[in-house]
């Protein structure tokens, strides 16, 4: 018995376009790469200086984006959980008392569009495997996925969450293996 296709021809063409994307490093100006091995993270965010905040059941850390230098590390899980808001949308950074927005598997959603036209999203052309797509929207005759880059996620696997920093200078992707960050020249 033949299976009836429920997707439209437009949807099938879009799926084919998504499946034809090759995974690679992001285009210029996204030239700085930082990989942070951190198994078990469930939320992340940015402090006021746009350092990376990673939160897991074994504590939290703060890392500088371009150098990858760890600035803080707290290993007390109970203390870390006490710093998370009841709705899992904010984290009170103990060292500075900053209340930062967080996103992730047990948190909110990241920033997916910069003021100057960069967009990031997670798609599933090979479901259940996630693909992160970076695209520049401010082009003449823009077409979805026409010039998009599927980012090579390296050691990240499973569910993926992503978002830009508030300034749009950094892009973070988090997954089961930790976090992958790309930064651009200012």
């Amino acid at each position: 018995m033949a299976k009836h296709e429920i997707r439209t021809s437009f949807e099938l063409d879009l799926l084919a376009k998504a499946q034809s994307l090759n995974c690679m490093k992001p285009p210029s100006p996204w030239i700085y790469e930082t990989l942070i091995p951190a198994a078990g993270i469930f939320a992340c965010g940015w402090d006021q200086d746009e350092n990376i905040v990673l939160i897991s059941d074994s504590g939290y850390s703060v890392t500088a984006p371009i150098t990858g230098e760890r600035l803080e590390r707290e290993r007390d899980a109970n203390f870390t959980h006490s710093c998370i808001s009841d709705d899992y949308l904010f984290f009170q950074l103990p060292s500075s008392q900053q209340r930062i927005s967080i996103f992730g598997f047990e948190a909110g959603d990241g920033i997916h569009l910069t003021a100057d036209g960069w967009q990031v999203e997670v798609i599933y052309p090979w479901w259940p495997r996630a693909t992160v797509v970076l695209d520049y929207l401010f082009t003449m005759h823009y077409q979805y996925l026409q010039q998009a880059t599927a980012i090579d996620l390296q050691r990240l696997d499973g569910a993926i969450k992503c978002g830009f920093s508030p300034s749009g200078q950094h892009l973070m992707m988090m997954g089961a293996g930790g976090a992958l960050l790309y930064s651009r020249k200012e």
Side-chain angles (χ1 to χ4, degrees), residues 98-147:
Q98 295 174 58
R99 186 173 188 222
I100 63 169
S101 297
I102 56 176
F103 66 93
F105 307 123
E106 297 179 23
D109 203 6
I111 299 169
H112 293 258
L113 184 64
T114 66
D116 62 341
W118 288 97
Q119 177 181 305
V120 67
E121 67 180 315
V122 179
I123 62 173
Y124 294 87
W126 300 103
W127 188 88
R129 191 174 5 142
T131 300
V132 175
V133 178
L134 180 65
D135 207 353
Y136 186 68
L137 304 180
F138 296 170
T139 59
M140 195 81 114
H141 309 294
Y142 171 80
Q143 289 183 28
Y144 182 65
L145 297 182
Q146 189 65 38
Q147 295 183 30

Side-chain angles (χ1 to χ4, degrees), residues 24-142:
M24 59 184 65
K25 302 217 182 273
S28 182
W30 302 95
I31 61 171
Y32 302 106
E33 177 184 275
T34 307
L35 180 63
I36 305 170
I41 59 173
F42 61 82
C44 59
W46 310 92
D47 72 6
Q48 68 185 13
D49 297 321
E50 294 198 348
N51 292 310
I52 306 155
V53 178
L54 300 178
I55 305 166
S56 74
D57 283 329
S58 62
Y60 77 90
S61 66
V62 179
T63 305
I66 295 175
T67 65
E69 176 188 358
R70 187 181 319 164
L71 306 173
E72 290 181 45
R73 175 70 168 109
E74 173 60 59
R75 296 182 192 280
D76 185 330
N78 291 329
F79 177 69
T80 298
H81 278 280
S82 73
C83 297
I84 301 171
S85 64
D86 290 340
D87 59 8
Y88 274 70
L89 297 177
F90 298 97
F91 183 76
Q92 184 86 30
L93 198 56
S95 59
S96 63
Q97 297 305 306
Q98 295 174 58
R99 186 173 188 222
I100 63 169
S101 297
I102 56 176
F103 66 93
F105 307 123
E106 297 179 23
D109 203 6
I111 299 169
H112 293 258
L113 184 64
T114 66
D116 62 341
W118 288 97
Q119 177 181 305
V120 67
E121 67 180 315
V122 179
I123 62 173
Y124 294 87
W126 300 103
W127 188 88
R129 191 174 5 142
T131 300
V132 175
V133 178
L134 180 65
D135 207 353
Y136 186 68
L137 304 180
F138 296 170
T139 59
M140 195 81 114
H141 309 294
Y142 171 80

